């Protein structure tokens, strides 16, 4: 197996100089040779639990996020603008499971020793940074979309993805690629790079990528959600106040109707007259019933139609018809999204804190085992989102049950 140490390195100082490259000092050559020798010794150990857990995690991420994508694309009830953002998030998780996790699991199986080329390592780091950034940018885009839906409902399109939402979806991936692009242009090629370890080598870039990918989007996202739920709370209070006023108005009309003379006491010719004259009533009938008892002779020739309480109809204000409303399905979706955001922050915050600490504090000793654990925790988040949708969303749960039942039967 290729352990990163060329044959004969232990015997010949000249071979050590050739392997480490010209222009390196004897001290640097000795340090590099010692690192490679320790890597070669470590390569004899195999982390089988990491391999088993990693394979299971990859399978769960692929299956769960594929079900999310299929459910939104095939189920009419799930074809909402919010769920298209969720599909974009699921695609980022799928790409992470296909392009990043296999190499990461292989490295963990080698007990953290990187036995492949530096070019493959740079490609792995590029995809890792881009896809993790795309995940949080997708969550940020969802928060912006929900904020617009609640605070500016008249400008929100619920039927299909419009230009603004297309720009949001595109911006998440373009910005994520922009954050990761310095790795493709060689920022990871620093002097004295250890070929047996695959990581971000430039400490300034570690700070830059962490701030752009995590520490700036997270506060923005949390502020947007706070504003969204405050707006949703005000909307609920307004809805309850309108419902209460409508109930009070109905009670007043019932009291007014109770004081009217029953239609049964009217002379027999009256109902046909009412029925005939009701056909001439305009589209906006009077909502105030007459309190004076009608007489047969007056009703027969009166041009004013007499209407019972049962015939009263309310004509809604045309301006209120155009006002956008938040339906129950959207309110349920808004309850799911904070759980998704909370799970993301819980899984990725330890990694980014230690990531910056290790890069900026040279005297701080961050154990490799701890760094490995927080990295695994971050990748586990890609498997959590389908579980959260299944638990908190009825439509997703029904689709998953249907698919699993058809597969098992």
């Amino acid at each position: 197996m290729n352990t990163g140490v060329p044959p004969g390195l232990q015997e010949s100082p000249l071979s050590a100089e050739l392997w480490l490259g010209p222009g390196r000092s004897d001290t640097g050559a000795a340090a590099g040779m010692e690192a490679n020798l320790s890597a070669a010794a470590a390569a004899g150990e195999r982390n089988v639990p990491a391999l088993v857990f990693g394979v299971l995690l990859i399978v769960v991420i692929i299956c769960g996020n594929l079900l999310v994508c299929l459910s939104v694309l095939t189920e009419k009830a799930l074809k909402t603008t919010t769920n298209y953002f969720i599909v974009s998030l699921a695609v980022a998780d799928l790409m992470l499971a296909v392009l990043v996790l296999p190499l990461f699991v292989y490295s963990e199986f080698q007990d953290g020793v990187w036995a492949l080329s530096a070019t493959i390592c740079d490609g792995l780091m590029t995809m890792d940074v881009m896809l993790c950034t795309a995940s949080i940018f997708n969550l940020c885009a969802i928060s912006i979309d929900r904020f617009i839906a609640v605070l500016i409902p008249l400008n929100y399109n619920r039927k299909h993805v419009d230009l603004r939402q297309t720009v949001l979806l595109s911006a998440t991936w373009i910005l994520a690629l922009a954050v990761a692009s310095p790795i493709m242009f060689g920022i990871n090629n620093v002097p004295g790079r250890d070929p047996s370890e695959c990581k971000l080598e430039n400490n300034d870039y570690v700070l830059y990528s962490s701030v752009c990918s995590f520490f700036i989007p997270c506060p923005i996202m949390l502020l947007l959600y706070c504003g969204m739920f405050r707006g949703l709370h005000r909307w609920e209070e307004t809805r309850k106040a309108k419902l209460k006023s409508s109930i009070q108005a109905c009670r007043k009309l019932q009291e007014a109707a109770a004081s009217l003379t029953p239609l049964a006491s009217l002379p027999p010719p009256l109902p046909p007259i009412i029925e005939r004259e009701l056909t001439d009533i305009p589209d906006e009938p009077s909502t105030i019933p007459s309190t004076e008892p009608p007489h047969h002779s007056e009703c027969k020739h009166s041009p004013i139609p007499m209407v019972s309480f049962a015939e009263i109809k309310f004509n809604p204000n045309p301006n209120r018809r155009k006002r956008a409303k938040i339906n129950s399905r959207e309110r349920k979706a808004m309850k799911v999204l904070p759980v998704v955001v909370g799970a993301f922050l819980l899984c990725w915050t330890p990694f980014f804190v230690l990531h910056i600490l290790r890069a900026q504090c040279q005297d701080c000793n961050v154990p490799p085992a701890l760094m490995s654990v927080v990295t695994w925790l971050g990748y586990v988040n890609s498997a959590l989102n389908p579980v959260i949708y299944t638990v908190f969303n009825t439509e997703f749960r029904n689709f998953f049950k249907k698919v699993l039942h058809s597969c098992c039967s």
Side-chain angles (χ1 to χ4, degrees), residues 337-364:
L337 295 176
V339 182
V340 175
V341 173
F344 185 91
L345 295 178
L346 182 66
C347 291
W348 280 109
T349 301
F351 170 81
F352 279 101
V353 171
L354 290 179
H355 196 44
I356 286 187
L357 182 65
R358 187 175 66 169
Q360 300 300 316
C361 179
Q362 302 299 330
D363 297 330
C364 300

Side-chain angles (χ1 to χ4, degrees), residues 258-286:
S259 64
L260 295 176
T261 305
L263 291 178
S265 63
L266 296 175
L270 181 61
I273 296 174
I274 295 178
E275 184 178 356
R276 184 175 65 251
E277 292 184 346
L278 279 176
T279 59
D280 299 328
I281 298 176
D283 291 337
E284 298 184 359
S286 173

Side-chain angles (χ1 to χ4, degrees), residues 238-386:
T238 303
R239 187 179 66 87
K240 290 178 181 178
K242 288 180 179 179
L243 181 61
K244 185 177 180 180
S245 63
S246 298
I247 292 173
Q248 292 175 349
C250 288
R251 286 176 179 172
K252 290 180 180 180
L253 288 174
Q254 287 176 350
E255 293 173 358
S259 64
L260 295 176
T261 305
L263 291 178
S265 63
L266 296 175
L270 181 61
I273 296 174
I274 295 178
E275 184 178 356
R276 184 175 65 251
E277 292 184 346
L278 279 176
T279 59
D280 299 328
I281 298 176
D283 291 337
E284 298 184 359
S286 173
T287 58
I288 304 175
S290 173
T291 56
E292 296 183 2
H295 299 282
H296 173 61
S297 58
E298 294 177 354
C299 292
K300 205 167 186 178
H301 304 284
S302 175
I304 303 175
M306 307 304 297
V307 187
S308 68
F309 176 73
E311 299 290 343
I312 297 175
K313 296 181 180 179
F314 295 93
N315 186 36
N317 190 341
N319 294 328
R320 292 177 61 186
R321 282 183 181 177
K322 297 178 183 178
R323 187 176 179 179
K325 295 182 179 180
I326 304 171
N327 55 37
S328 59
R329 183 175 298 165
E330 286 182 317
R331 290 199 298 272
K332 290 179 182 177
M334 291 176 190
K335 293 177 181 178
V336 177
L337 295 176
V339 182
V340 175
V341 173
F344 185 91
L345 295 178
L346 182 66
C347 291
W348 280 109
T349 301
F351 170 81
F352 279 101
V353 171
L354 290 179
H355 196 44
I356 286 187
L357 182 65
R358 187 175 66 169
Q360 300 300 316
C361 179
Q362 302 299 330
D363 297 330
C364 300
N365 182 22
V366 180
L370 179 60
M371 202 66 207
S372 179
V373 168
V374 296
T375 305
W376 277 110
L377 181 63
Y379 290 144
V380 165
N381 176 254
S382 298
L384 287 181
N385 290 340

